[in-house]
Amino acid sequence: MSTLLLQGGRIIDPARGLDAVGDLWLADGCIAGSTLDGGTPPPRVDMRLDVSGCIVSPGLIDIRVKLGEPGFEDDETIETGTAAALAGGFTTVAALPDTQPVGDSRASAEFVARQAERARHCRVVPLGAVTKQTAGEELAEIGQLVAGGARAFTDGKKAIANSEVMRRALQYTAMFDCPILHYPQSPELVAGGVMHDGYWSTVLGLRGIPAAAEEIMVRRDIALAEHTGGRIHLMAISTLNSVDEVRNARRRGIPVSADVTPHHLTLTDEALRGYDPRLKVLPPLRPAEHIEALMEGLRDGTITVISSGHEPWALEKKDREIDQAPFGIVGLETLLPLCIRALIEPGRLDWLTLLARLTTGPAELLRLEAGTLQPGRPADVTVIDPAVEWTISAAEFRSQSRNTPFDGWRVRGRARYTIVDGEVRWSAGT
C-alpha cells in the first residue's frame, strides 16, 4: 500500500461544505482520511508534501474537451491533450466525439479509453455522439456507446436542429440516466457569422451572430426536456436571456443544467477590434451586460459547471483572416488563473463556490465517483497555489496547439500538484 500525505493545506471539499486547514492522506489509490474528518495521519507514509499556503481540492473535472484523436492529430492527440489537462489541474476530462471517424460506436468509445490508459496522464471519459456521423438525422447506437463507457451524449458544436430527433434522443438517453450536452445555436442564424451581432460588429464590418441564435435553441431544449423528462445540459451559454431561461426552468424542476467558459467571463466583443482570429469563438464573445448575467448565474447556482471549452487548432488552420478562421480557443492550461482573475479577485465568488463549479457540478452531471475528498473515493486531488504569479506563455503549453488570446497575460494562481489515483502526475516547475 502506497501512502501520500499532504500537510498543512487549506482543504476545500465543496461536496461536503468543508473549508479548513488540515492534513489529507491518500492510500492505495483512495482518499484515506483527513484531520477535518477527525482522523490522524498514519505514522508511516511513503511520500510527504508540504502544501502550506495552498488549496487542496478534489481533482478538477472538465466535461467537454476536444482531444482530436482519431483524425485530427495535427490539432491535438489524447497524449498531448491529457498532458495539458494535468498541467491545468484536471484529473478527469470528457472527450468530445467530433473526431474522424465520429465517436458514434462502442468501438470508438473504447478506443478513446484505451489511448488514455496508454498516455497515463488524467482520466478520460468518452462522450458518445447523439446522432450517426453527428449529422443530426438518425440516432447513434446509444446503448452500445453506454456499454463502451460513454457517460453522456453530444454532437459537439453541431446543433441538433431537428426537434423530433432531439425529442427521441432525450427519451432514449433518459433510459440510461445520461444527459445530452447540446450547443444551443440555431444553425441558420449562425451561418457565416463571425462575432456578436451588435455595435462592434457594425463598426468592424463583420457579420454578426445574434443572441437570439442561442436563445431560440435554449427555449426549445428546455421545452423538450420538460416534455420528455430527459436531462439536457446546455454548453457554453453566453447571454443574459439564456441565464434567465435556465434559472426559471431549474426553479420549475426541469432537468436542465448549463456551463460557461472562462473566456466568456473575461473578454467582451470589443476585444475583436484588432481582428485577431484567436478571439473567434462560438458562441461569440458578448457585451459586458451578458458577462454580468453569467457571473450572477454562477453565483446563484443557475450555472453549475465551468468548462475550459478546450478547442485546439493547428497554426495553419487558425492563423487566417478572421472570417475564414475556425472558432475555438485552447483552455485547459489557462482556466484556473482566468477564473481567479474574473471571479475570485473581484469577490464575485468564494473558493468554495468556484471549486464546486469545477468538481461537484461536473461529477454530478456525469455521475462520476470523483469530485469529493470523502474517504473511500478515488484519490484524485488538485493542489492549487492561489498566490503564485506567472505569465501565460503559449510556447510552453503541453497542448499541441497554441490558439489562445491570453498569451503574455500576467496572471495569478495555478496547479502546483495534480494527483491521479494517488500518484503525483504533475508538479509545477518540472
Side-chain angles (χ1 to χ4, degrees), residues 271-280 318-320 322 404-405:
L272 279 92
R273 286 186 301 174
Y275 297 91
D276 186 345
R278 296 176 301 174
L279 291 160
K280 185 181 178 183
K318 188 68 169 175
D319 190 18
R320 307 173 65 185
I322 193 168
T404 176

Side-chain angles (χ1 to χ4, degrees), residues 5-13 18-25 34-36 49-57 373 381-386 416-417:
L5 176 63
L6 303 173
Q7 294 180 299
R10 179 184 172 187
I11 300 172
I12 300 180
D13 187 1
L18 297 178
D19 183 356
V21 174
D23 298 341
L24 176 77
W25 51 97
S34 75
T35 52
L36 273 61
L49 293 175
D50 181 356
V51 293
S52 302
C54 292
I55 292 169
V56 179
S57 164
L373 299 177
V381 180
T382 303
V383 178
I384 301 166
D385 186 339
R416 177 182 287 187
Y417 302 108

Side-chain angles (χ1 to χ4, degrees), residues 165-249:
V165 171
M166 179 60 92
R167 182 182 71 88
R168 288 189 284 111
L170 284 165
Q171 290 173 329
Y172 199 178
T173 54
M175 297 168 58
F176 301 95
D177 192 28
C178 289
I180 290 178
L181 280 56
H182 191 226
Y183 260 105
Q185 298 290 327
S186 175
E188 298 83 3
L189 293 175
V190 170
V194 174
M195 63 177 297
H196 173 76
D197 185 35
Y199 172 81
W200 283 107
S201 65
T202 303
V203 169
L204 299 174
L206 295 173
R207 184 165 179 174
I209 300 172
E214 176 180 312
E215 294 158 2
I216 289 169
M217 200 64 81
V218 165
R219 295 184 185 106
R220 186 210 68 171
D221 286 354
I222 290 172
L224 290 176
E226 183 175 27
H227 173 70
T228 63
R231 290 199 288 145
I232 191 80
H233 178 84
L234 301 167
M235 298 190 288
I237 63 170
S238 63
T239 79
L240 186 155
N241 287 337
S242 291
V243 176
D244 284 343
E245 292 287 345
V246 173
R247 180 180 291 114
N248 292 333

